[in-house]
Amino acid sequence: MQLAPIDWVIIGAFLVTVIMIGLIVSRAAGKSSADFFLGGRSMPWWLLGVSMVACTFSCDTPNLVTGMVRGGGVVANWGWWAFLITGMVTVFIYAQLWRRSKVMTDLEFYELRYSGKSAAFIRGFRSLYLGIFFNCLIMGTVTLAAIKIGQVIFDVDPWVAVLLGSIGVVVYATAGGIKSCIWADFFQYSIAMFGAVYAAIVACKQPEVGGLGALLAHQDVVGKLSWMPDFSTWLAWVPLLLIPVAVQWWSVWYPGAEPGGGGYIAQRMLSAKDEKNAIGATLFFNFMHYAMRPWPWIIVALASIICYPSLADIKSQFPGIDPTYLKEDIAYPVMIAKLGPGLLGLVVASLIAAYMSTIGTHLNWGSSYVVNDWYKRFMKPTATEKEMVWVGRLCTIGLMLIAAFFALFFLEDANQAFEILLLSGAGTGAIYIMRWFWWRINAWTEIVAMIAATIIAFGIVLWVKDEGVMKWYVGSSAVQDRVYVIEDAELAKSVSTQHETVKEEARTIEKTEIKELVKDWRQARKESDAARDAARQAYDVRSAELGQLKAESSIFALVSKADGSWRAGLESYFTEQNQWELERVNARNAKSDLPAKTIDEISVGFAGVVDGDKIYIYHPSVAGLMFSVKLLVCVVIVTIVWVITTLVTKPTDKKTLRSFYKLCHPGGPGWRKVVMEAKADGEDIDQKNAIGDWKLPMQIMCVFLGCVAIYSSLFAVGNFVYGNVMWGVILAGVALAATVCLFVSFNKIGVESSAD
């Protein structure tokens, strides 16, 4: 699409302003590594809080939320809403501890808490693993969103979108370090939030939508509105709500929501003036992140369902979108394209702002790991402060190049990256919580857990795959009501052979013909619109043929063509499952005053899998457990591994444990042994009486009240959006009461001043 001159003026003015911010603070940032990476440890809570929320206000987050809502409805957002619990734990427990540690990065913590070569190893290894690989994977997902925005709004090639999107942020992040990132975040956040809200308003005004009321009443949207799962079947509420709330938040290391704090959140807390400012920053961040921001994105996502019911509708209006990137998450930038001149430029600037704030933070955070925890620690301990700043600047550029490589050659959609990130840290989260409160946790605990989590996650994703995971539980009694079992060894062998043969054929076609057709399209796009459209038609035809081939060779399709003594039972199973689905749909429709459906209008996407001599035909709700099973397997195995490792390896030496406790004094029964042994040796390391006056029970109460306050605020806003004013007022009242109780409880805990 074409941007008007006013749009270009607005975007240009925004970029100039952001770059100027970086240049203005660059002189102060270059004084020392502490200034470059931590802003001289002098940042106030409000500025840090805005910076935190701006960083997580990434341009890929609206895409992620849009993909979730279009696929699973508003309730799918519990996949990230559950991390609020982690955030509250960080606010009321770990913010104080991190600030007391006085480390430069959270990886420096390892040699503060652990001892020996194992402590040095894990610090060095994670500086490269997190600072380069993991960090660049995150930036790659953000850059992927920039590519999709560039395709829709600017109609440019992916590499052009990456180049243009990264130039500005690399300039100010390289020049000014974290101070320029934080001040740029402050400027960018206001623009990004305005753009998100205005995009939601415009989405509702689209002729196809007809206003907010019409949007919420539309038959294609009503089924997506609930933020709570269907409690009539555990197959719905367990994976959507229970697993995220009961397991995911504490067991998974996820950027911005690390159990026990960490990453760029820890970097911001370490930049704070004192404990009070660190706590205030993280509390403000969590309120804005979870309670205020989701609804504009959700509204746009819901409107996109009406405007573009399928990806084919998007493709027809935006033929310049690369076939590789045509996924559900692209619906957000497509909706943005509906804005008029001037306002389009402002909202596009807001998306650029969201991109730059996230990338800027991750560039500075990643380079702080590489410089402080690798270069300074292992490569050149004698490096001067000026030298460390320059290495940090070079590293910033290098990280951006790696992130661009991930975005251009590996990633395709936001949900894909989200799952990879969750699984690769599954099972390690409990360590990051417990290492502050149990002296027995040592460096080998983290080393083994990290290795085990990585191996298991990649093993499940690359070798076991979804079909293998399905075999783990499809035959269990827990799902037997939604599964039909065919015990026919000869049929199972025949179906499996046909399925595997065609699957290999399809894989070959994807790697050769489909890839070549994409290349042809990209080349034709440069020649003319007619050549582009012809190339796209060739791609679509072959893709449709491939899709038909896969469908006809699926386990379910092959079984449907066969016959045997089991046929009558299978038909009875279909009838029963269709009736069950009909009752669920009509119960939901009745709540929304929609007409009831008939059995002929119900279409259930059954699927199948072969395991040995048995064929399992299952309801799609069974497949909905897939990620939960992957997560639980990772968590259970990794937890067993690290607990055993902790108990059989040598603990951290006494001197290190005592020094750590004296500095951070976390308190609790997990440190009583260390404190008592030190006292017996005539050393008082518990001068704050953290063992006798342990604050954790009251801190947990604050965590609970904080969650109640923010979740109530989140759903109060949602009810007001949905027009349920009474429930909105009630939930707002609950949020206010919880907030009052929260501050009363927190005052009983108190904070330490910088002089303490």
Side-chain angles (χ1 to χ4, degrees):
M1 65 173 297
Q2 295 294 321
L3 275 73
I6 184 63
D7 296 319
W8 288 110
V9 170
I10 292 172
I11 294 170
F14 162 77
L15 291 173
V16 170
T17 302
V18 170
I19 293 173
M20 287 301 298
I21 290 173
L23 296 177
I24 289 171
V25 301
S26 62
R27 181 171 298 180
K31 291 180 180 178
S32 69
S33 58
D35 283 295
F36 190 79
F37 295 121
L38 295 180
R41 300 186 193 271
S42 61
M43 310 306 289
W45 69 269
W46 55 271
L47 191 56
L48 290 174
V50 170
S51 178
M52 289 178 186
V53 75
C55 177
T56 53
F57 197 126
S58 171
C59 63
D60 70 316
T61 314
N63 290 17
L64 174 66
V65 171
T66 299
M68 285 179 167
V69 172
R70 285 175 66 91
V74 176
V75 68
N77 284 281
W78 277 105
W80 66 279
W81 283 347
F83 284 120
L84 169 65
I85 306 172
T86 311
M88 289 295 97
V89 170
T90 299
V91 171
F92 296 109
I93 299 175
Y94 296 104
Q96 300 178 64
L97 296 172
W98 277 112
R99 191 61 185 79
R100 291 173 196 168
S101 71
K102 300 178 181 178
V103 293
M104 177 77 72
T105 68
D106 57 320
L107 297 188
E108 191 177 328
F109 168 89
Y110 288 119
E111 292 190 287
L112 182 71
R113 171 64 176 81
Y114 308 132
S115 59
K117 294 182 178 179
S118 57
F121 170 79
I122 192 171
R123 178 182 179 183
F125 180 81
R126 282 181 74 84
S127 68
L128 301 181
Y129 176 76
L130 294 181
I132 297 178
F133 170 74
F134 212 85
N135 185 41
C136 287
L137 180 61
I138 299 166
M139 289 194 293
T141 66
V142 181
T143 304
L144 175 65
I147 288 173
K148 297 191 177 189
I149 293 168
Q151 291 256 290
V152 173
I153 305 298
F154 300 101
D155 193 25
V156 296
D157 289 332
W159 71 269
V160 176
V162 172
L163 179 63
L164 296 178
S166 61
I167 288 177
V169 67
V170 169
V171 169
Y172 79 73
T174 302
I178 195 172
K179 269 192 176 180
S180 66
C181 292
I182 290 174
W183 279 107
D185 286 346
F186 186 76
F187 168 67
Q188 290 168 155
Y189 177 68
S190 58
I191 297 176
M193 196 66 197
F194 173 83
V197 172
Y198 191 79
I201 294 172
V202 172
C204 291
K205 290 182 177 180
Q206 293 305 305
E208 305 97 314
V209 178
L212 182 59
L215 168 66
L216 300 175
H218 196 281
Q219 61 179 1
D220 293 337
V221 171
V222 168
K224 305 279 190 180
L225 293 178
S226 177
W227 52 72
M228 283 296 175
D230 178 6
F231 286 101
S232 67
T233 171
W234 72 272
L235 291 171
W237 64 267
V238 166
L240 288 174
L241 183 62
L242 181 64
I243 295 299
V245 172
V247 179
Q248 185 175 296
W249 73 266
W250 61 264
S251 64
V252 172
W253 191 97
Y254 184 74
E258 300 87 345
Y264 62 81
I265 298 298
Q267 186 189 33
R268 294 300 190 271
M269 293 187 290
L270 292 168
S271 302
K273 291 179 179 180
D274 49 35
E275 286 186 20
K276 185 176 181 180
N277 279 273
I279 294 168
T282 47
L283 180 59
F284 178 78
F285 155 65
N286 280 279
F287 176 78
M288 295 301 297
H289 181 57
Y290 294 101
M292 302 306 295
R293 291 190 325 181
W295 291 107
W297 299 334
I298 290 172
I299 291 171
V300 173
L302 293 172
S304 76
I305 296 172
I306 301 174
C307 296
Y308 302 99
S310 69
L311 293 178
D313 298 305
I314 295 177
K315 181 186 69 177
S316 65
Q317 289 198 31
F318 295 90
I321 296 176
D322 193 311
T324 305
Y325 301 117
L326 187 61
K327 311 292 181 183
E328 293 290 350
D329 61 339
I330 206 169
Y332 190 86
V334 162
M335 291 297 293
I336 296 302
K338 289 181 171 291
L339 297 168
L343 292 172
L344 175 60
L346 191 58
V347 174
V348 170
S350 76
L351 292 175
I352 297 173
Y355 171 77
M356 295 177 73
S357 62
T358 302
I359 292 295
T361 289
H362 279 276
L363 288 174
N364 187 266
W365 168 49
S367 63
S368 73
Y369 279 2
V370 176
V371 173
N372 190 67
D373 300 296
W374 176 257
Y375 182 78
K376 172 72 173 178
R377 174 62 181 83
F378 298 102
M379 299 297 293
K380 192 174 181 182
T382 59
T384 64
E385 292 295 313
K386 292 284 187 180
E387 183 179 349
M388 289 174 66
V389 170
W390 274 108
V391 173
R393 286 170 171 163
L394 292 174
C395 184
T396 298
I397 299 171
L399 292 176
M400 188 67 247
L401 293 174
I402 298 172
F405 180 78
F406 280 162
L408 289 169
F409 299 105
F410 288 102
L411 300 172
E412 294 181 2
D413 72 270
N415 286 285
Q416 170 200 42
F418 184 68
E419 181 172 320
I420 292 173
L421 289 173
L422 287 181
L423 286 180
S424 60
T428 62
I431 299 173
Y432 306 127
I433 293 175
M434 294 182 63
R435 64 188 182 181
W436 293 90
F437 295 107
W438 186 27
W439 70 275
R440 194 62 179 79
I441 298 288
N442 59 54
W444 285 109
T445 305
E446 298 207 30
I447 293 171
V448 172
M450 179 177 59
I451 294 172
T454 303
I455 292 174
I456 294 169
F458 276 87
I460 289 175
V461 172
L462 299 179
W463 290 293
V464 178
K465 301 182 180 179
D466 287 353
E467 194 170 288
V469 173
M470 177 61 70
K471 294 176 183 179
W472 290 348
Y473 68 91
V474 72
S476 69
S477 59
V479 297
Q480 63 182 1
D481 291 344
R482 304 290 160 238
V483 178
Y484 184 78
V485 186
I486 301 173
E487 299 190 45
D488 186 328
E490 185 176 342
L491 178 65
K493 183 178 180 180
S494 173
V495 167
S496 179
T497 300
Q498 293 180 66
H499 176 67
E500 290 300 324
T501 300
V502 177
K503 189 166 70 172
E504 185 60 35
E505 180 185 347
R507 188 179 295 116
T508 301
I509 292 173
E510 288 176 338
K511 290 181 178 179
T512 56
E513 295 183 46
I514 298 298
K515 280 193 173 182
E516 284 301 316
L517 288 170
V518 171
K519 290 180 181 178
D520 292 343
W521 178 89
R522 290 173 178 170
Q523 182 61 39
R525 182 173 178 270
K526 300 175 183 178
E527 297 172 5
S528 67
D529 289 350
R532 178 200 64 194
D533 293 342
R536 183 55 185 254
Q537 184 177 7
Y539 170 88
D540 289 343
V541 169
R542 192 60 179 129
S543 294
E545 292 173 349
L546 179 60
Q548 184 66 23
L549 178 66
K550 289 180 178 179
E552 292 175 351
S553 63
S554 69
I555 300 296
F556 176 72
L558 293 172
V559 168
S560 298
K561 299 173 186 176
D563 205 354
S565 59
W566 42 266
R567 171 59 63 180
L570 181 61
E571 294 298 333
S572 177
Y573 163 78
F574 288 153
T575 301
E576 176 189 323
Q577 298 303 310
N578 282 323
Q579 186 60 41
W580 179 69
E581 191 67 29
L582 177 66
E583 292 172 0
R584 291 180 64 207
V585 170
N586 283 339
R588 185 170 61 238
N589 286 356
K591 293 179 181 178
S592 305
D593 296 325
L594 291 177
K597 291 184 177 293
T598 65
I599 194 70
D600 295 332
E601 296 176 287
I602 295 298
S603 178
V604 177
F606 295 102
V609 65
V610 177
D611 188 12
D613 293 339
K614 297 179 180 180
I615 302 174
Y616 297 90
I617 304 299
Y618 55 87
H619 187 279
S621 61
V622 176
L625 298 173
M626 186 81 67
F627 180 74
S628 296
V629 171
K630 292 178 185 178
L631 181 67
L632 289 173
V633 168
C634 288
V635 169
V636 170
I637 295 177
V638 173
T639 300
I640 292 173
V641 167
W642 74 252
V643 169
I644 293 174
T645 300
T646 301
L647 297 177
V648 301
T649 53
K650 185 179 179 181
T652 301
D653 67 51
K654 292 182 179 180
K655 182 179 178 181
T656 301
L657 289 173
R658 293 177 184 181
S659 175
F660 172 78
Y661 186 88
K662 191 172 183 179
L663 178 64
C664 299
H665 44 276
W671 285 97
R672 184 176 296 276
K673 176 181 173 65
V674 175
V675 171
M676 292 299 103
E677 287 183 352
K679 186 172 290 187
D681 292 340
E683 185 179 359
D684 182 13
I685 63 172
D686 193 25
Q687 298 173 356
K688 300 287 185 179
N689 191 29
I691 295 293
D693 185 23
W694 199 29
K695 305 291 187 181
L696 189 62
M698 185 59 70
Q699 289 173 318
I700 292 175
M701 174 60 73
C702 289
V703 170
F704 171 76
L705 291 171
C707 289
V708 170
I710 294 179
Y711 278 136
S712 296
S713 300
L714 170 66
F715 299 128
V717 174
N719 272 286
F720 286 130
V721 169
Y722 286 1
N724 303 323
V725 177
M726 184 181 73
W727 273 108
V729 171
I730 291 172
L731 287 170
V734 171
L736 180 61
T739 302
V740 172
C741 293
L742 172 63
F743 282 104
V744 170
S745 300
F746 184 69
N747 285 334
K748 295 179 181 179
I749 299 174
V751 295
E752 296 179 12
S753 68
S754 58
D756 287 341

